[in-house]
Amino acid sequence: MDEDEYQVREEIKDLRARGKLTEAYKKAMEAIDNEYNVDWSLAWILYGFLKKEYQGANPDEGAAVTAVNQKKLQGFLHVIDKMKKQGLFFVDQHNDIFWTSVQRMMVSEAWELAKAGRISELFELYGAVKLLDELEDAEPGPDSYVSKQQRPNQLNSKQLVGMDGFLYDIARPLGTAIAKLEPFDKLKALAPAIEIIENSEDSFGNILNREVVSILTFQMKQLADQKDGASLWKFWQQSAPFRKTVPVSALRFLIQPYYDTFFDKDDPAQNAEQLLTVLPGYGFDGWPDADYQPYQPENSDHAFPSFVNRILSAYLKVLAAVPATKEIDDCAVKNVEKGIKALKDHHDTGDNYMWVIYQYGKVLDRVGRLGELRDQLVELITQHGHITYLWSMLAKVYAGEDEEAERAFLEMALACPNGMLHDANTLVQLLVKKEAASHQPLLKGLLAKYPKLDQGLVKYVQGMPWYDNCQAPDDLTAALKQDAKPQVGQLLFADQERTFYVEWNNQEKNSTGIFFSGHDSAPTKLHDQKLARQVEAGQCYRAIIVTSDQHNDYYDHLKPVPDADLLKEFQFTVTENLNLVHDFGFLEPSDTFVNPELVKQYDLKNFDEVTGLVKKKWNSKKAEKRLLPGQRFTNPLETELTTIENVKHLENQRTVEGQLSVTTSRYTDREMTFLRLEDEDDVFVPNDVRGEFKNGQWVTAQLERSWNKKRQEWSWRATLLYETGGY
């Protein structure tokens, strides 16, 4: 900087200090024409103009921001914009102090207005905020303005910088401005915010929106804490215009105070009128992902439902309890369907989802529309076949339409834990009506298990001629399932009939392990007495087998399929050579195990060519060592030779002459020796077999066939060397 430029800057600084801003501005423009760098001084001059014009002639007296001041600000910013376009105002150099000062001044003004309760003037100030956006690229650097949300040594707080920090700070005073107003006066005072939010496409609209949501939420919590139901409900209704602009992510914070206060789990009908209106008012889709996800408290295996799941459950319980079924109209049903779809789309389909469907079934049952839920019930039964209520509800779907189906589903319901008395009454009536001898033991077993059955019905059954001589089943649960399964399989799972291969079958333990086609996991394990009695290991069948992560079950319709392609995946013939290991061996290259009994029976020798039947078998002990959480078995089976059709005893030894060739491996730096033979491939000679023999020496060698694992082939290998004389 030369002396002339320094002198000009000092003159400008002196004029600005004496309040002669116009003269300072002219001096700065003249300096720019003379190519002096005075943009820093210019920034302070502009700030002085802004403070004087925007805050009034005497800012120390706290002059209010008025519409006139806003026009002055708009005109002032227009001048700045024009100067920027003419290259007189450098937005990329030394302007942080100017713009940061402008922002601090406006935030300070906002707090002064808020503390004084001058709400209308505060909204006039908010109207001026958007003027700053008209100066494209003229805001300060990204780190120039730092919000006051975070204080030194204050943990868990977020600090915003740049324009976002300014917008956050200037919106915060709104809560203070209306804090002392009554709840409904607050709604009136906040009305101007709606227009600003709806007409703002910038960040300020969103930030102001969040501030309004925070104010409304806090007020809702205050009313909820006071247990003032009438005021809370009225406030909720009158806040509707504000909720139209509420971000989806904030919906739960507005509804939760109402939900927590007025939804009584012991008496769902309490406050039903309000809940029926409030809960579906949000819809059940478009919520943030976090509100769909069940959470799991520490030291607990129980997964609590997501917030959306809880809201939907509340709505369903109220619908199920309100006296007037007119509340359960098409609109209510569609709301629930949207909620169920939203939960499924976000994979909230665990145990809590099952109870949502159950509650929905009770609601539909009230208006005679339970049949609409059939598909969801069937889907859930596949995953939760042990739940009494699902089978009971499905039985109700078929009541009056298909008596055989109703009976079968009631039997499945009563075979589950916690069978219900009304289901037992209905089933006894159906069995009595059937008059089948095969059902007599079931009737006697039901009477013994449910002593509180309808006494008239009990006396009627006990008076039948067969009753005294009839023996109740030892296991009523198993007997009910066995009687129901053929019908259940036909009605619900006929399209799930599949071909399978029986890996093992233990009738004593009623345990059967099966593989489906394209197996890539462990066998499906079934515990079913009827299935175990009808199948043999090593055979293929077709039947209705329902499998899931939690449940595997057999639903009859068994048919042998001995010629199925699946059988070929587990039993096939091979012709390979034997690789002996002590008294047992393997067929190569398939690595098929040959047990010692077969080796001894057929006097098998190394390299014998063996033709026989191979079966794949599951090695559970070996598989468990590989088992990791979530791992699928990609190669769970091992092959074993079970029967031999033909054996060729091939020569696996011979004696030859050749010349030794010793080389050094470039990878291991170890010597490697081969025996060179005329018109044949070289033969590998292990170092311990070579002994003292030297490179190039002619020797006589005994060779033996050996399986080369690396190359996956049979080859000759030297086992003994001795001299043949000469070089």
Side-chain angles (χ1 to χ4, degrees):
M1 180 191 308
D2 60 28
E3 187 174 346
D4 291 340
E5 183 174 321
Y6 176 79
Q7 183 63 36
V8 169
R9 288 189 181 185
E10 288 298 311
E11 291 178 8
I12 295 173
K13 182 178 179 181
D14 179 65
L15 290 171
R16 183 171 57 80
R18 289 188 286 132
K20 297 183 177 183
L21 297 177
T22 302
E23 294 180 30
Y25 179 76
K26 292 179 179 179
K27 189 72 175 178
M29 292 296 99
E30 181 182 339
I32 291 173
D33 291 338
N34 293 325
E35 299 184 351
Y36 291 142
N37 184 5
V38 295
D39 50 310
W40 180 270
S41 301
L42 178 61
W44 280 106
I45 295 170
L46 294 173
Y47 172 66
F49 272 124
L50 178 66
K51 190 171 183 179
K52 177 181 178 182
E53 295 297 327
Y54 181 60
Q55 288 191 312
N58 191 2
D60 294 334
E61 296 179 0
V65 176
T66 64
V68 173
N69 297 130
Q70 279 194 40
K71 289 181 179 179
K72 289 182 178 181
L73 174 64
Q74 188 170 11
F76 179 77
L77 294 178
H78 176 73
V79 171
I80 297 294
D81 188 37
K82 186 176 180 180
M83 290 174 62
K84 177 174 70 75
K85 292 176 179 178
Q86 293 175 351
L88 301 178
F89 182 71
F90 305 98
V91 297
D92 296 326
Q93 299 178 36
H94 308 304
N95 64 328
D96 281 5
I97 189 171
F98 168 68
W99 286 110
T100 303
S101 298
V102 171
Q103 292 168 328
R104 289 289 181 207
M105 182 180 65
M106 295 180 73
V107 170
S108 177
E109 187 70 29
W111 279 110
E112 291 297 325
L113 293 172
K115 291 174 184 177
R118 295 152 72 175
I119 302 171
S120 61
E121 295 175 34
L122 180 61
F123 278 114
E124 289 180 1
L125 175 62
Y126 288 161
V129 170
K130 63 181 179 180
L131 299 177
L132 299 181
D133 288 335
E134 295 179 4
L135 285 179
E136 185 178 0
D137 298 327
E139 66 176 86
D143 299 328
S144 60
Y145 184 97
V146 181
S147 72
K148 294 183 179 181
Q149 185 175 2
Q150 187 183 58
R151 299 291 185 265
N153 302 320
Q154 183 179 353
L155 299 177
N156 301 321
S157 59
K158 186 177 180 183
Q159 192 172 27
L160 301 176
V161 297
M163 184 60 78
D164 285 343
F166 161 65
L167 296 177
Y168 170 81
D169 274 0
I170 202 169
R172 283 177 60 204
L174 183 59
T176 300
I178 68 168
K180 296 180 180 180
L181 299 179
E182 293 299 318
F184 297 98
D185 291 335
K186 288 181 181 178
L187 292 176
K188 294 177 183 177
L190 287 173
I194 297 176
E195 183 179 357
I196 295 176
I197 293 169
E198 289 179 344
N199 295 330
S200 293
E201 298 179 357
D202 53 15
S203 299
F204 184 59
N206 294 328
I207 291 174
L208 184 61
N209 198 357
R210 286 198 292 269
E211 184 66 25
V212 171
V213 170
S214 177
I215 293 170
L216 294 176
T217 303
F218 183 72
Q219 183 60 67
M220 289 281 288
K221 288 181 178 178
Q222 283 186 317
L223 292 173
D225 290 342
Q226 297 167 12
K227 304 294 183 181
D228 187 352
S231 296
L232 180 59
W233 177 239
K234 184 178 178 182
F235 186 87
W236 175 264
Q237 289 178 311
Q238 293 190 13
S239 66
F242 300 92
R243 296 200 305 271
K244 291 179 181 178
T245 58
V246 170
V248 172
S249 59
L251 283 174
R252 70 169 303 171
F253 300 108
L254 280 175
I255 185 65
Q256 193 154 7
Y258 197 92
Y259 170 82
D260 290 342
T261 304
F262 292 99
F263 179 66
D264 190 330
K265 294 179 175 59
D266 297 325
D267 182 10
Q270 184 178 0
N271 301 299
E273 181 182 354
Q274 295 96 320
L275 284 167
L276 286 173
T277 305
V278 172
L279 296 179
Y282 291 99
F284 294 108
D285 51 2
W287 293 62
D289 287 342
D291 286 342
Y292 290 99
Q293 304 305 320
Y295 63 93
Q296 196 165 343
E298 292 182 359
N299 304 320
S300 173
D301 293 328
H302 177 65
F304 285 77
S306 64
F307 185 74
V308 177
N309 193 307
R310 283 180 284 159
I311 291 293
L312 187 57
S313 294
Y315 184 45
L316 286 167
K317 286 181 180 179
V318 172
L319 287 176
V322 292
T325 57
K326 66 180 181 180
E327 301 286 357
I328 312 173
D329 55 12
D330 285 341
C331 181
V333 172
K334 287 179 180 178
N335 265 320
V336 176
E337 288 174 348
K338 287 180 180 178
I340 291 173
K341 182 180 183 301
L343 291 176
K344 289 190 69 174
D345 289 346
H346 288 78
H347 309 292
D348 183 8
T349 54
D351 290 347
N352 294 299
Y353 173 78
M354 184 270 295
W355 289 113
V356 165
I357 297 296
Y358 173 63
Q359 293 160 6
Y360 185 33
K362 291 199 297 185
V363 169
L364 292 178
D365 190 30
R366 291 194 62 196
V367 289
R369 297 174 61 174
L370 183 57
E372 297 177 17
L373 202 57
R374 179 188 180 281
D375 291 342
Q376 286 98 322
L377 290 172
V378 171
E379 180 182 2
L380 284 172
I381 280 173
T382 303
Q383 300 292 326
H384 305 276
H386 59 290
I387 301 296
T388 304
Y389 305 101
L390 298 177
W391 291 108
S392 177
M393 194 166 282
L394 200 54
K396 216 166 187 180
V397 170
Y398 284 87
E401 296 183 8
D402 187 335
E403 203 169 88
E404 289 293 317
E406 181 187 10
R407 174 188 57 76
F409 294 137
L410 286 171
E411 288 176 337
M412 293 298 290
L414 294 171
C416 295
N418 305 315
M420 295 179 285
L421 182 62
H422 66 83
D423 284 342
N425 270 311
T426 305
L427 179 58
V428 169
Q429 291 173 356
L430 292 174
L431 293 178
V432 167
K433 186 178 179 181
K434 186 78 173 175
E435 295 183 356
S438 60
H439 292 156
Q440 292 170 3
L442 295 179
L443 281 168
K444 192 161 187 176
L446 287 168
L447 264 60
K449 185 175 181 179
Y450 297 95
K452 293 184 179 181
L453 282 169
D454 179 80
Q455 291 304 300
L457 190 59
V458 170
K459 289 180 181 179
Y460 178 77
V461 174
Q462 290 176 340
M464 291 184 171
W466 52 263
Y467 187 82
D468 292 335
N469 297 324
C470 180
Q471 181 67 39
D474 294 334
D475 187 342
L476 179 62
T477 295
L480 288 168
K481 275 190 176 182
Q482 288 299 117
D483 191 61
K485 278 188 172 181
Q487 181 72 13
V488 171
Q490 184 63 39
L491 287 170
L492 301 188
F493 308 122
D495 59 344
Q496 297 191 39
E497 188 175 286
R498 304 170 72 182
T499 301
F500 60 90
Y501 172 84
V502 180
E503 163 67 8
W504 78 79
N505 188 53
N506 189 332
Q507 291 190 28
E508 187 175 328
K509 295 183 178 180
N510 297 323
S511 175
T512 306
I514 66 175
F515 280 108
F516 296 111
S517 181
H519 52 84
D520 61 352
S521 59
T524 298
K525 191 173 183 179
L526 301 168
H527 290 287
D528 190 283
Q529 186 181 61
K530 186 176 180 181
L531 178 65
R533 288 177 178 175
Q534 296 181 88
V535 299
E536 295 181 11
Q539 300 298 321
C540 287
Y541 300 87
R542 189 166 181 82
I544 297 175
I545 303 289
V546 177
T547 64
S548 71
D549 293 339
Q550 301 177 3
H551 183 68
N552 305 310
D553 216 339
Y554 159 65
Y555 283 89
D556 211 70
H557 295 259
L558 185 71
K559 297 185 288 289
V561 282
D563 298 326
D565 291 337
L566 181 60
L567 190 63
K568 298 176 184 178
E569 295 184 33
F570 294 90
Q571 299 181 25
F572 46 87
T573 301
V574 300
T575 299
E576 294 178 351
N577 296 98
L578 178 65
N579 182 19
L580 278 177
V581 182
H582 301 297
D583 61 342
F584 63 92
F586 295 90
L587 296 182
E588 305 294 357
S590 66
D591 202 31
T592 296
F593 176 72
V594 182
N595 63 48
E597 293 181 1
L598 288 175
V599 172
K600 183 178 180 180
Q601 180 182 350
Y602 290 92
D603 192 24
L604 298 177
K605 301 291 189 296
N606 200 39
F607 196 59
D608 281 349
E609 184 181 272
V610 179
T611 300
L613 182 66
V614 169
K615 289 187 178 181
K616 288 184 178 179
K617 292 188 176 181
W618 172 254
N619 189 332
S620 59
K621 292 182 180 179
K622 189 173 182 180
E624 287 174 355
K625 294 177 183 177
R626 301 176 186 170
L627 186 61
L628 295 172
Q631 176 183 351
R632 293 181 68 83
F633 296 95
T634 56
N635 187 22
L637 300 176
E638 297 178 350
T639 54
E640 181 179 348
L641 186 68
T642 57
T643 58
I644 293 178
E645 299 173 6
N646 186 45
V647 177
K648 280 187 181 181
H649 294 289
L650 302 175
E651 189 64 45
N652 74 327
Q653 292 184 348
R654 64 175 177 143
T655 302
V656 298
E657 291 184 3
Q659 187 180 29
L660 293 178
S661 173
V662 181
T663 60
T664 301
S665 172
R666 61 178 176 176
Y667 300 108
T668 63
D669 201 31
R670 294 178 58 188
E671 287 188 345
M672 298 181 63
T673 305
F674 293 90
L675 182 65
R676 292 184 174 177
L677 304 176
E678 189 175 350
D679 298 329
E680 290 188 52
D681 292 337
D682 293 347
V683 175
F684 178 68
V685 181
N687 288 335
D688 59 339
V689 173
R690 190 189 84 185
E692 299 297 326
F693 291 99
K694 298 178 175 55
N695 182 42
Q697 189 171 354
W698 284 88
V699 296
T700 299
Q702 288 185 1
L703 307 183
E704 185 176 294
R705 286 283 188 182
S706 176
W707 175 251
N708 190 321
K709 287 188 176 181
K710 183 177 180 181
R711 296 184 178 181
Q712 288 288 295
E713 64 182 13
W714 288 90
S715 60
W716 292 103
R717 183 187 185 96
T719 58
L720 179 64
L721 299 182
Y722 52 90
E723 293 184 7
T724 56
Y727 284 90

